[in-house]
Every structure is written in C-alpha cells, then in structure tokens.
Amino acid sequence: MADLREGDFCSCNPLELFEQVTAQGEKVRSLKAEKAPKDEIEAAVKLLLSLKLSYKTATGQEYKAGSPPTDFAPVSNGPGDAGDEDLVDPWTVQTSNAKGVDYDKLIVRFGSSKIDNDLINRIERVTGHKPHHFLRRGIFFSHRDMNQILDAYENKKPFYLYTGRGPSSEAIHVGHLIPFIFTKWLQDVFNVPLVIQLTDDEKYLWKDLTVEKAYQYTIENVKDLIALGFDVNKTFIFSDLDYLGTSPEFYKNILRVQKHVTFNQVKGIFGFTDSDCIGKISFPAIQAAPSFCTSFPQIFNDKKDIQCLIPCAIDQDPYFRMTRDVAPRIGYPKPALMHSVFFPALQGAQTKMSASDPNSSIFLTDTPKQIKTKINKHAFSGGKDTVEEHRKYGGNCDVDVSYMYLTFFLEDDEKLDQIKQAYTSGALLTGELKKLLIETLQPVIAAHQQRRKQLTSEMVKEFMTPRKLAFDY
Ligand code: TRP
C-alpha cells in the first residue's frame, strides 16, 4: 500500500503539473487523430482529468492551455476545492469527501469489476470457507479476472499469489497490514504458493534514503510480515536488492517488460516527467516481473503458464494495468487482481496517513496506552457535539473513524451491526464507541508484538532464501 505521506501530496510543483497537463492534452489529441482504440482514449482522458484536478488543487486555478501558472493559492485540503473527482495513483490519494474515496466511481474509471455478491458466493462455494470479513464488508471491493482464477481452481489448475510492500520506514501501521491479512486468508483457503516482493529499490529511488537503509527497512518489515503467520513452506519473501542480482530468470522477465513498454506509456500511466531519474522510469518493470511464474524457477520449475493473483490496495493498480497490457505480448497469462480500499487516517477518511506523523494511525509498535490516547484524542468522530444532541439525533457511522476501524478489525458481524445501530440511534456515545475500538485493537497489537519478538534472524533468512516450496510442478 502506498505510504500516504504529507510530502507526497502535490509534491509536483505547479509548473511541472502544468507541463504534465499540457503533454497529456496533446496525447489525447493525437490518440483521437490516430483513431486509437476507445479504451485507450478513455484511459488517456481520465488521466488528463485527474492531472487537471491536481493542478487546480495545487494552484487554486483552472488549467488554461497556454497560460502557465503565475501566482497560486497555497495547497489546501478544505472541502470543495478538489472538485468532485478523487485522485488515486501510487503516490497520491486525494478526496474532498469525509466518507472517503468514491469506490464505485473508481471501478468505472479504472475499468475493473466490482466484487459483487455473486463472486463472493462463488468464492465460498469453491473454497468451502465462509468469505473473509474484508470480502463481506466490501473492503476488498474490486477485481480483474477473478472468475478465471476460480475456473482454473475448479479444474484443478494451479495459480499463485503475489503481493508486496515498499519498505519506506520501520514504522508500519495497521493499514499496511490489510492486504497481507487478506493474502494470508487466500493462501490458507486456496492452499497456493505466495511470493512477497519488498521493493527497497523503489523506496531508494523515490525517497531520501541510502541503499543500505532501504535494505535495513526491508528486514525489519519482513519480520512484521512473518509475524502475521505466513507458512514458510509455502511463502517466498524477497528483497529486490537481494533477489535481482541472483536470479537470471527474474532479470530476463524485467527486460522483456522493459522492451515492450515505451517512455510515452509510463509517462501516461504514472505521470513521469523528463526530469524524473531513469531509475523511476524503468522501475515499473521490476514490480511487473513477479506476476510471471518464470521469475521463480525454484518454485515453479519450468512451467510458463501458471496464473498469478495479486491482492493489493487499489493505488497499485496502475502497475498492473501496465503488466496486463504487456503480458500477452511476451507470451504470459495476465495476472488477476483483487483491490482493497484505503485504510483511513485517524483524522478522517479524506486525510492522508503519514508514517512520519505518529498520531495519524495506530502503529504496530504502539503500547496499549498509546493506542488508547491516540484513539481518544485523534480519532475523528461522527458523534454530535453534546450528549443531549447525540442522544437525540444519533451519530454518523459513515464518517466516524472509530467505527470504520472496527469494520476492519472486529470480525463478529452481529456485534458490529449492534454497534452501528446503537451509535446511529444515539444510544451509544462516542466515548463508548472509542472504548470498544481500543479494546479490540489493544490485544491485536500486543499479540503481534509478542509473535514478532520471537522471530530469529534464521527464520527471516529461511523465508528469504530462494527455494522450492511445498508444491510440485
Ligand atoms: N509498490 C508497492 C508499495 O509501495 C510495493 C509492491 C511491490 C506491491 N509489488 C507489489 C504492492 C505487489 C502490491 C502488490 O507499497
């Protein structure tokens, strides 16, 4: 999941943004002139609209062709100034709505499919397991080609899971765990291999970090992942800084992707500019390559066609749109995807979580007391100002962050429903709701810390050693 740090938001200066909008406008015009396929034009128009929105947010002015920005209003997150389009890419998540990003709109814009009840029921039928509460509650809400994965599974054809994390700091918060908790569930119910990529190279390129520091973060982050309970016989965790140099097959796939994506395409997908370093421009190929099973010959032997399923937060989708576009051209199946929503910051669903702001989320290193204080002090409340008003009108769960956090961490549907009703009716007060969240999170975090403490460096090494897993191909 992208780290939504304060500095990432509108880190482009207005002039750069202006140039990006202009370049994208030209691209749309030439696509139209060439009579390019409709979906290609639509994708380019969508990107143009989000760039225009960023421009407006950064400058306070509408984009006007031919008039570069002169003086501009300071960046503000206030309601209304970001238009009604949400902005979502690997580096920015931006919305003016207190309920958070409009995910149904995002499905249409990204051209993915909704995880609807039919699909959830099918997953239940095929696996014989009750669907995870992340599925039942729409936390994993969108997918690409999930029915293909289920067809394959029903026909006893193998698939594998791939997910990853950019180790930008040692501070992991509960939101970072969402894709991994879900991936573990998928691995358990489908009994398939899992590869986890730690993109320390990516973080070196994007952040102010040394290569050594990035690798150190990898190791610390890997411990948190292992503590979630992945099975060492079925899971390979790798650092790009390690694995790339030892695996010719992985590198060959990176190269194949690099040959089939142009600079123009990555500019269009990721908004790179002429002043981005060349490392960034070629990096998407490195995140794409684990989607192909031949990148892991030690696991998949000489098989070439084992399909990959990628659970990830929706902000990572641009990488995999690119991957799916390239895959058939280099002779591989397209990876399937399952997308999750974003985890809200304590301050509210439209603000960004920041690993550098300890009050923006609950971190895996927090003590029970810190958890309590943070929630009581900082969790945005959908309650009313006074007890009298609250009793009379009730609270609003749609914007209440404590309630939102409970949807992620309280597994019991019935209890959650009771809480919602009581809060909405005014019977449950904000302080009481917060207490329920505190009591839910404290044991989860404490148990995580306990498991992490017991890990040895040998165990970390075992997970990170390229090897055959408990599957024969
Ligand atoms: N780029 C991702 C991040 O910054 C890390 C990542 C690499 C990833 N491969 C992935 C995330 C596959 C999801 C799925 O966090």
Side-chain angles (χ1 to χ4, degrees), residues 315-357:
D315 62 335
Q316 297 298 304
D317 191 64
Y319 286 109
F320 302 118
R321 287 204 292 271
M322 182 197 88
T323 309
R324 285 168 55 87
D325 179 64
V326 178
R329 289 189 276 136
I330 57 177
Y332 292 132
K334 291 182 180 187
L337 286 146
M338 290 180 101
H339 301 119
S340 75
V341 301
F342 301 110
F343 192 75
L346 277 175
Q347 285 75 7
Q350 79 271 53
T351 43
K352 300 156 294 295
M353 266 187 296
S354 154
S356 55
D357 176 2

mmCIF file of all heavy atoms in Angstrom, residues 315-357:
data_model
loop_
_atom_site.group_PDB
_atom_site.id
_atom_site.type_symbol
_atom_site.label_atom_id
_atom_site.label_comp_id
_atom_site.label_asym_id
_atom_site.label_seq_id
_atom_site.Cartn_x
_atom_site.Cartn_y
_atom_site.Cartn_z
ATOM 1 N N ASP A 315 -4.472 1.620 -5.160
ATOM 2 C CA ASP A 315 -3.489 2.567 -5.699
ATOM 3 C C ASP A 315 -2.379 1.875 -6.492
ATOM 4 O O ASP A 315 -1.663 2.527 -7.248
ATOM 5 C CB ASP A 315 -2.883 3.425 -4.572
ATOM 6 C CG ASP A 315 -2.141 2.593 -3.553
ATOM 7 O OD1 ASP A 315 -2.458 1.399 -3.422
ATOM 8 O OD2 ASP A 315 -1.235 3.125 -2.893
ATOM 9 N N GLN A 316 -2.209 0.568 -6.326
ATOM 10 C CA GLN A 316 -1.163 -0.152 -7.066
ATOM 11 C C GLN A 316 -1.638 -0.595 -8.448
ATOM 12 O O GLN A 316 -0.870 -1.154 -9.234
ATOM 13 C CB GLN A 316 -0.695 -1.387 -6.268
ATOM 14 C CG GLN A 316 -0.059 -1.048 -4.938
ATOM 15 C CD GLN A 316 1.193 -0.207 -5.090
ATOM 16 O OE1 GLN A 316 2.129 -0.583 -5.786
ATOM 17 N NE2 GLN A 316 1.198 0.964 -4.459
ATOM 18 N N ASP A 317 -2.904 -0.380 -8.736
ATOM 19 C CA ASP A 317 -3.450 -0.866 -9.999
ATOM 20 C C ASP A 317 -2.711 -0.368 -11.242
ATOM 21 O O ASP A 317 -2.555 -1.130 -12.199
ATOM 22 C CB ASP A 317 -4.946 -0.545 -10.099
ATOM 23 C CG ASP A 317 -5.598 -1.260 -11.265
ATOM 24 O OD1 ASP A 317 -5.628 -2.505 -11.240
ATOM 25 O OD2 ASP A 317 -6.027 -0.589 -12.216
ATOM 26 N N PRO A 318 -2.236 0.895 -11.283
ATOM 27 C CA PRO A 318 -1.521 1.336 -12.490
ATOM 28 C C PRO A 318 -0.370 0.395 -12.892
ATOM 29 O O PRO A 318 -0.175 0.122 -14.074
ATOM 30 C CB PRO A 318 -1.000 2.719 -12.104
ATOM 31 C CG PRO A 318 -2.011 3.215 -11.109
ATOM 32 C CD PRO A 318 -2.438 2.001 -10.324
ATOM 33 N N TYR A 319 0.380 -0.105 -11.901
ATOM 34 C CA TYR A 319 1.463 -1.039 -12.225
ATOM 35 C C TYR A 319 0.931 -2.269 -12.960
ATOM 36 O O TYR A 319 1.564 -2.797 -13.869
ATOM 37 C CB TYR A 319 2.156 -1.539 -10.949
ATOM 38 C CG TYR A 319 3.043 -0.524 -10.299
ATOM 39 C CD1 TYR A 319 2.693 0.071 -9.086
ATOM 40 C CD2 TYR A 319 4.251 -0.174 -10.884
ATOM 41 C CE1 TYR A 319 3.523 1.001 -8.476
ATOM 42 C CE2 TYR A 319 5.090 0.758 -10.277
ATOM 43 C CZ TYR A 319 4.721 1.331 -9.081
ATOM 44 O OH TYR A 319 5.544 2.249 -8.499
ATOM 45 N N PHE A 320 -0.232 -2.707 -12.515
ATOM 46 C CA PHE A 320 -0.702 -3.988 -13.049
ATOM 47 C C PHE A 320 -1.569 -3.815 -14.287
ATOM 48 O O PHE A 320 -1.731 -4.757 -15.054
ATOM 49 C CB PHE A 320 -1.361 -4.798 -11.924
ATOM 50 C CG PHE A 320 -0.382 -5.026 -10.796
ATOM 51 C CD1 PHE A 320 -0.608 -4.529 -9.518
ATOM 52 C CD2 PHE A 320 0.812 -5.682 -11.051
ATOM 53 C CE1 PHE A 320 0.331 -4.702 -8.509
ATOM 54 C CE2 PHE A 320 1.762 -5.856 -10.051
ATOM 55 C CZ PHE A 320 1.514 -5.365 -8.772
ATOM 56 N N ARG A 321 -2.071 -2.601 -14.509
ATOM 57 C CA ARG A 321 -2.681 -2.330 -15.813
ATOM 58 C C ARG A 321 -1.589 -2.440 -16.867
ATOM 59 O O ARG A 321 -1.772 -3.034 -17.925
ATOM 60 C CB ARG A 321 -3.278 -0.909 -15.843
ATOM 61 C CG ARG A 321 -4.538 -0.766 -15.036
ATOM 62 C CD ARG A 321 -5.386 0.399 -15.532
ATOM 63 N NE ARG A 321 -4.806 1.703 -15.293
ATOM 64 C CZ ARG A 321 -4.993 2.425 -14.182
ATOM 65 N NH1 ARG A 321 -5.756 1.960 -13.207
ATOM 66 N NH2 ARG A 321 -4.446 3.610 -14.042
ATOM 67 N N MET A 322 -0.443 -1.871 -16.539
ATOM 68 C CA MET A 322 0.687 -1.949 -17.461
ATOM 69 C C MET A 322 1.092 -3.417 -17.659
ATOM 70 O O MET A 322 1.283 -3.877 -18.789
ATOM 71 C CB MET A 322 1.863 -1.152 -16.895
ATOM 72 C CG MET A 322 3.077 -1.132 -17.783
ATOM 73 S SD MET A 322 4.574 -0.617 -16.883
ATOM 74 C CE MET A 322 5.120 -2.195 -16.257
ATOM 75 N N THR A 323 1.189 -4.164 -16.567
ATOM 76 C CA THR A 323 1.608 -5.568 -16.638
ATOM 77 C C THR A 323 0.647 -6.380 -17.497
ATOM 78 O O THR A 323 1.052 -7.204 -18.317
ATOM 79 C CB THR A 323 1.634 -6.177 -15.213
ATOM 80 O OG1 THR A 323 2.389 -5.324 -14.355
ATOM 81 C CG2 THR A 323 2.244 -7.571 -15.226
ATOM 82 N N ARG A 324 -0.657 -6.150 -17.301
ATOM 83 C CA ARG A 324 -1.657 -6.919 -18.043
ATOM 84 C C ARG A 324 -1.621 -6.554 -19.538
ATOM 85 O O ARG A 324 -1.914 -7.389 -20.384
ATOM 86 C CB ARG A 324 -3.054 -6.657 -17.459
ATOM 87 C CG ARG A 324 -3.277 -7.366 -16.121
ATOM 88 C CD ARG A 324 -4.534 -6.869 -15.430
ATOM 89 N NE ARG A 324 -5.705 -6.973 -16.274
ATOM 90 C CZ ARG A 324 -6.481 -8.040 -16.390
ATOM 91 N NH1 ARG A 324 -6.213 -9.117 -15.681
ATOM 92 N NH2 ARG A 324 -7.516 -8.022 -17.184
ATOM 93 N N ASP A 325 -1.235 -5.345 -19.818
ATOM 94 C CA ASP A 325 -1.129 -4.928 -21.210
ATOM 95 C C ASP A 325 0.059 -5.628 -21.895
ATOM 96 O O ASP A 325 -0.016 -6.060 -23.033
ATOM 97 C CB ASP A 325 -0.942 -3.399 -21.223
ATOM 98 C CG ASP A 325 -0.787 -2.863 -22.614
ATOM 99 O OD1 ASP A 325 -1.768 -2.990 -23.369
ATOM 100 O OD2 ASP A 325 0.294 -2.347 -22.955
ATOM 101 N N VAL A 326 1.137 -5.778 -21.149
ATOM 102 C CA VAL A 326 2.348 -6.378 -21.720
ATOM 103 C C VAL A 326 2.250 -7.900 -21.800
ATOM 104 O O VAL A 326 2.744 -8.515 -22.756
ATOM 105 C CB VAL A 326 3.580 -6.029 -20.843
ATOM 106 C CG1 VAL A 326 4.840 -6.679 -21.398
ATOM 107 C CG2 VAL A 326 3.766 -4.543 -20.730
ATOM 108 N N ALA A 327 1.626 -8.516 -20.793
ATOM 109 C CA ALA A 327 1.701 -9.982 -20.622
ATOM 110 C C ALA A 327 1.489 -10.783 -21.921
ATOM 111 O O ALA A 327 2.373 -11.565 -22.302
ATOM 112 C CB ALA A 327 0.725 -10.423 -19.530
ATOM 113 N N PRO A 328 0.364 -10.585 -22.642
ATOM 114 C CA PRO A 328 0.160 -11.421 -23.829
ATOM 115 C C PRO A 328 1.236 -11.195 -24.894
ATOM 116 O O PRO A 328 1.566 -12.116 -25.635
ATOM 117 C CB PRO A 328 -1.218 -10.985 -24.356
ATOM 118 C CG PRO A 328 -1.633 -9.797 -23.570
ATOM 119 C CD PRO A 328 -0.752 -9.660 -22.386
ATOM 120 N N ARG A 329 1.793 -9.980 -24.912
ATOM 121 C CA ARG A 329 2.797 -9.694 -25.943
ATOM 122 C C ARG A 329 4.117 -10.399 -25.657
ATOM 123 O O ARG A 329 4.961 -10.533 -26.535
ATOM 124 C CB ARG A 329 3.002 -8.188 -26.058
ATOM 125 C CG ARG A 329 1.780 -7.534 -26.710
ATOM 126 C CD ARG A 329 2.030 -6.087 -27.040
ATOM 127 N NE ARG A 329 1.796 -5.230 -25.884
ATOM 128 C CZ ARG A 329 2.595 -4.247 -25.516
ATOM 129 N NH1 ARG A 329 3.690 -4.005 -26.180
ATOM 130 N NH2 ARG A 329 2.296 -3.504 -24.467
ATOM 131 N N ILE A 330 4.338 -10.831 -24.403
ATOM 132 C CA ILE A 330 5.573 -11.568 -24.125
ATOM 133 C C ILE A 330 5.256 -13.023 -23.762
ATOM 134 O O ILE A 330 6.076 -13.718 -23.168
ATOM 135 C CB ILE A 330 6.428 -10.863 -23.038
ATOM 136 C CG1 ILE A 330 5.655 -10.664 -21.736
ATOM 137 C CG2 ILE A 330 6.910 -9.513 -23.546
ATOM 138 C CD1 ILE A 330 6.491 -10.045 -20.625
ATOM 139 N N GLY A 331 4.032 -13.445 -24.112
ATOM 140 C CA GLY A 331 3.698 -14.868 -24.014
ATOM 141 C C GLY A 331 3.298 -15.364 -22.633
ATOM 142 O O GLY A 331 3.437 -16.546 -22.328
ATOM 143 N N TYR A 332 2.796 -14.474 -21.779
ATOM 144 C CA TYR A 332 2.387 -14.895 -20.439
ATOM 145 C C TYR A 332 0.907 -14.602 -20.178
ATOM 146 O O TYR A 332 0.349 -13.668 -20.770
ATOM 147 C CB TYR A 332 3.199 -14.141 -19.375
ATOM 148 C CG TYR A 332 4.653 -14.483 -19.331
ATOM 149 C CD1 TYR A 332 5.615 -13.472 -19.300
ATOM 150 C CD2 TYR A 332 5.082 -15.808 -19.301
ATOM 151 C CE1 TYR A 332 6.968 -13.766 -19.248
ATOM 152 C CE2 TYR A 332 6.442 -16.106 -19.246
ATOM 153 C CZ TYR A 332 7.378 -15.082 -19.222
ATOM 154 O OH TYR A 332 8.705 -15.381 -19.169
ATOM 155 N N PRO A 333 0.289 -15.378 -19.248
ATOM 156 C CA PRO A 333 -1.081 -15.018 -18.866
ATOM 157 C C PRO A 333 -1.106 -13.696 -18.107
ATOM 158 O O PRO A 333 -0.151 -13.360 -17.406
ATOM 159 C CB PRO A 333 -1.522 -16.175 -17.953
ATOM 160 C CG PRO A 333 -0.294 -16.909 -17.572
ATOM 161 C CD PRO A 333 0.799 -16.559 -18.539
ATOM 162 N N LYS A 334 -2.214 -12.956 -18.250
ATOM 163 C CA LYS A 334 -2.358 -11.705 -17.493
ATOM 164 C C LYS A 334 -2.591 -12.026 -16.025
ATOM 165 O O LYS A 334 -3.401 -12.906 -15.724
ATOM 166 C CB LYS A 334 -3.588 -10.936 -17.980
ATOM 167 C CG LYS A 334 -3.477 -10.377 -19.352
ATOM 168 C CD LYS A 334 -4.760 -9.600 -19.684
ATOM 169 C CE LYS A 334 -4.651 -9.027 -21.079
ATOM 170 N NZ LYS A 334 -5.767 -8.148 -21.406
ATOM 171 N N PRO A 335 -1.963 -11.311 -15.096
ATOM 172 C CA PRO A 335 -2.276 -11.554 -13.687
ATOM 173 C C PRO A 335 -3.703 -11.091 -13.362
ATOM 174 O O PRO A 335 -4.165 -10.087 -13.912
ATOM 175 C CB PRO A 335 -1.254 -10.695 -12.945
ATOM 176 C CG PRO A 335 -0.870 -9.621 -13.903
ATOM 177 C CD PRO A 335 -0.973 -10.231 -15.279
ATOM 178 N N ALA A 336 -4.369 -11.826 -12.478
ATOM 179 C CA ALA A 336 -5.671 -11.393 -11.956
ATOM 180 C C ALA A 336 -5.404 -10.513 -10.739
ATOM 181 O O ALA A 336 -4.313 -10.555 -10.159
ATOM 182 C CB ALA A 336 -6.504 -12.605 -11.563
ATOM 183 N N LEU A 337 -6.401 -9.722 -10.354
ATOM 184 C CA LEU A 337 -6.191 -8.791 -9.234
ATOM 185 C C LEU A 337 -7.388 -8.744 -8.308
ATOM 186 O O LEU A 337 -8.531 -8.955 -8.744
ATOM 187 C CB LEU A 337 -5.986 -7.376 -9.782
ATOM 188 C CG LEU A 337 -4.645 -7.111 -10.448
ATOM 189 C CD1 LEU A 337 -4.798 -6.135 -11.589
ATOM 190 C CD2 LEU A 337 -3.672 -6.550 -9.427
ATOM 191 N N MET A 338 -7.124 -8.457 -7.048
ATOM 192 C CA MET A 338 -8.200 -8.095 -6.107
ATOM 193 C C MET A 338 -7.742 -6.818 -5.405
ATOM 194 O O MET A 338 -6.620 -6.764 -4.884
ATOM 195 C CB MET A 338 -8.431 -9.201 -5.082
ATOM 196 C CG MET A 338 -9.056 -10.437 -5.687
ATOM 197 S SD MET A 338 -9.306 -11.720 -4.444
ATOM 198 C CE MET A 338 -11.047 -11.515 -4.135
ATOM 199 N N HIS A 339 -8.607 -5.805 -5.422
ATOM 200 C CA HIS A 339 -8.225 -4.488 -4.903
ATOM 201 C C HIS A 339 -8.910 -4.167 -3.575
ATOM 202 O O HIS A 339 -10.115 -4.357 -3.446
ATOM 203 C CB HIS A 339 -8.675 -3.390 -5.864
ATOM 204 C CG HIS A 339 -8.115 -3.499 -7.245
ATOM 205 N ND1 HIS A 339 -8.900 -3.649 -8.357
ATOM 206 C CD2 HIS A 339 -6.841 -3.456 -7.682
ATOM 207 C CE1 HIS A 339 -8.126 -3.691 -9.438
ATOM 208 N NE2 HIS A 339 -6.880 -3.584 -9.054
ATOM 209 N N SER A 340 -8.142 -3.570 -2.666
ATOM 210 C CA SER A 340 -8.764 -3.132 -1.410
ATOM 211 C C SER A 340 -8.941 -1.620 -1.390
ATOM 212 O O SER A 340 -8.271 -0.889 -2.126
ATOM 213 C CB SER A 340 -7.906 -3.538 -0.209
ATOM 214 O OG SER A 340 -6.772 -2.713 -0.116
ATOM 215 N N VAL A 341 -9.814 -1.167 -0.533
ATOM 216 C CA VAL A 341 -9.997 0.261 -0.282
ATOM 217 C C VAL A 341 -8.797 0.763 0.535
ATOM 218 O O VAL A 341 -7.955 -0.021 0.956
ATOM 219 C CB VAL A 341 -11.299 0.540 0.517
ATOM 220 C CG1 VAL A 341 -12.509 0.024 -0.240
ATOM 221 C CG2 VAL A 341 -11.232 -0.082 1.908
ATOM 222 N N PHE A 342 -8.743 2.055 0.770
ATOM 223 C CA PHE A 342 -7.696 2.609 1.617
ATOM 224 C C PHE A 342 -8.106 2.567 3.060
ATOM 225 O O PHE A 342 -9.271 2.697 3.386
ATOM 226 C CB PHE A 342 -7.402 4.052 1.239
ATOM 227 C CG PHE A 342 -6.966 4.171 -0.157
ATOM 228 C CD1 PHE A 342 -7.777 4.764 -1.093
ATOM 229 C CD2 PHE A 342 -5.758 3.644 -0.552
ATOM 230 C CE1 PHE A 342 -7.382 4.843 -2.405
ATOM 231 C CE2 PHE A 342 -5.360 3.711 -1.861
ATOM 232 C CZ PHE A 342 -6.171 4.309 -2.782
ATOM 233 N N PHE A 343 -7.098 2.461 3.893
ATOM 234 C CA PHE A 343 -7.341 2.488 5.316
ATOM 235 C C PHE A 343 -7.330 3.954 5.756
ATOM 236 O O PHE A 343 -6.384 4.679 5.476
ATOM 237 C CB PHE A 343 -6.227 1.705 6.004
ATOM 238 C CG PHE A 343 -6.507 1.420 7.428
ATOM 239 C CD1 PHE A 343 -7.426 0.449 7.779
ATOM 240 C CD2 PHE A 343 -5.861 2.133 8.420
ATOM 241 C CE1 PHE A 343 -7.688 0.186 9.102
ATOM 242 C CE2 PHE A 343 -6.133 1.871 9.754
ATOM 243 C CZ PHE A 343 -7.044 0.890 10.094
ATOM 244 N N PRO A 344 -8.393 4.397 6.438
ATOM 245 C CA PRO A 344 -8.453 5.831 6.747
ATOM 246 C C PRO A 344 -7.471 6.241 7.847
ATOM 247 O O PRO A 344 -7.146 5.454 8.737
ATOM 248 C CB PRO A 344 -9.887 6.024 7.237
ATOM 249 C CG PRO A 344 -10.372 4.673 7.631
ATOM 250 C CD PRO A 344 -9.593 3.669 6.841
ATOM 251 N N ALA A 345 -7.007 7.478 7.764
ATOM 252 C CA ALA A 345 -6.208 8.058 8.849
ATOM 253 C C ALA A 345 -7.135 8.311 10.034
ATOM 254 O O ALA A 345 -8.344 8.460 9.868
ATOM 255 C CB ALA A 345 -5.579 9.365 8.391
ATOM 256 N N LEU A 346 -6.554 8.372 11.232
ATOM 257 C CA LEU A 346 -7.384 8.627 12.421
ATOM 258 C C LEU A 346 -8.160 9.941 12.273
ATOM 259 O O LEU A 346 -9.289 10.054 12.740
ATOM 260 C CB LEU A 346 -6.501 8.705 13.668
ATOM 261 C CG LEU A 346 -6.124 7.380 14.318
ATOM 262 C CD1 LEU A 346 -5.154 7.628 15.473
ATOM 263 C CD2 LEU A 346 -7.351 6.620 14.816
ATOM 264 N N GLN A 347 -7.557 10.891 11.592
ATOM 265 C CA GLN A 347 -8.186 12.220 11.491
ATOM 266 C C GLN A 347 -9.350 12.262 10.516
ATOM 267 O O GLN A 347 -10.034 13.275 10.402
ATOM 268 C CB GLN A 347 -7.147 13.270 11.084
ATOM 269 C CG GLN A 347 -6.194 13.660 12.200
ATOM 270 C CD GLN A 347 -5.138 12.597 12.482
ATOM 271 O OE1 GLN A 347 -5.024 11.613 11.771
ATOM 272 N NE2 GLN A 347 -4.377 12.787 13.535
ATOM 273 N N GLY A 348 -9.576 11.178 9.751
ATOM 274 C CA GLY A 348 -10.723 11.180 8.849
ATOM 275 C C GLY A 348 -10.361 10.569 7.515
ATOM 276 O O GLY A 348 -9.197 10.523 7.126
ATOM 277 N N ALA A 349 -11.404 10.114 6.793
ATOM 278 C CA ALA A 349 -11.179 9.312 5.589
ATOM 279 C C ALA A 349 -10.640 10.109 4.419
ATOM 280 O O ALA A 349 -10.172 9.545 3.456
ATOM 281 C CB ALA A 349 -12.473 8.617 5.184
ATOM 282 N N GLN A 350 -10.674 11.452 4.485
ATOM 283 C CA GLN A 350 -10.136 12.169 3.321
ATOM 284 C C GLN A 350 -8.730 12.668 3.566
ATOM 285 O O GLN A 350 -8.123 13.254 2.691
ATOM 286 C CB GLN A 350 -11.060 13.304 2.855
ATOM 287 C CG GLN A 350 -11.007 14.596 3.639
ATOM 288 C CD GLN A 350 -11.979 14.608 4.786
ATOM 289 O OE1 GLN A 350 -11.982 13.700 5.609
ATOM 290 N NE2 GLN A 350 -12.807 15.623 4.865
ATOM 291 N N THR A 351 -8.198 12.434 4.776
ATOM 292 C CA THR A 351 -6.824 12.876 5.005
ATOM 293 C C THR A 351 -5.874 11.706 4.806
ATOM 294 O O THR A 351 -6.288 10.553 4.829
ATOM 295 C CB THR A 351 -6.649 13.427 6.437
ATOM 296 O OG1 THR A 351 -7.325 12.566 7.319
ATOM 297 C CG2 THR A 351 -7.197 14.811 6.538
ATOM 298 N N LYS A 352 -4.624 12.027 4.632
ATOM 299 C CA LYS A 352 -3.653 11.004 4.312
ATOM 300 C C LYS A 352 -2.977 10.508 5.577
ATOM 301 O O LYS A 352 -2.702 11.281 6.475
ATOM 302 C CB LYS A 352 -2.603 11.578 3.371
ATOM 303 C CG LYS A 352 -3.192 12.060 2.084
ATOM 304 C CD LYS A 352 -2.341 13.098 1.413
ATOM 305 C CE LYS A 352 -2.223 14.392 2.176
ATOM 306 N NZ LYS A 352 -3.426 15.155 2.331
ATOM 307 N N MET A 353 -2.678 9.226 5.607
ATOM 308 C CA MET A 353 -1.909 8.722 6.726
ATOM 309 C C MET A 353 -0.450 9.010 6.448
ATOM 310 O O MET A 353 -0.009 8.981 5.320
ATOM 311 C CB MET A 353 -2.087 7.223 6.850
ATOM 312 C CG MET A 353 -3.172 6.882 7.798
ATOM 313 S SD MET A 353 -3.214 5.153 8.066
ATOM 314 C CE MET A 353 -3.616 4.562 6.474
ATOM 315 N N SER A 354 0.272 9.242 7.485
ATOM 316 C CA SER A 354 1.660 9.589 7.282
ATOM 317 C C SER A 354 2.508 8.821 8.273
ATOM 318 O O SER A 354 2.277 8.884 9.478
ATOM 319 C CB SER A 354 1.791 11.085 7.497
ATOM 320 O OG SER A 354 3.094 11.389 7.889
ATOM 321 N N ALA A 355 3.498 8.076 7.738
ATOM 322 C CA ALA A 355 4.353 7.301 8.632
ATOM 323 C C ALA A 355 5.162 8.244 9.527
ATOM 324 O O ALA A 355 5.651 7.850 10.572
ATOM 325 C CB ALA A 355 5.274 6.398 7.827
ATOM 326 N N SER A 356 5.289 9.525 9.094
ATOM 327 C CA SER A 356 6.074 10.432 9.923
ATOM 328 C C SER A 356 5.208 11.145 10.971
ATOM 329 O O SER A 356 5.736 11.832 11.826
ATOM 330 C CB SER A 356 6.790 11.458 9.041
ATOM 331 O OG SER A 356 5.837 12.116 8.232
ATOM 332 N N ASP A 357 3.899 10.987 10.896
ATOM 333 C CA ASP A 357 3.034 11.556 11.924
ATOM 334 C C ASP A 357 2.472 10.435 12.785
ATOM 335 O O ASP A 357 1.553 9.727 12.384
ATOM 336 C CB ASP A 357 1.889 12.344 11.268
ATOM 337 C CG ASP A 357 0.897 12.867 12.310
ATOM 338 O OD1 ASP A 357 1.132 12.654 13.532
ATOM 339 O OD2 ASP A 357 -0.104 13.470 11.907
#
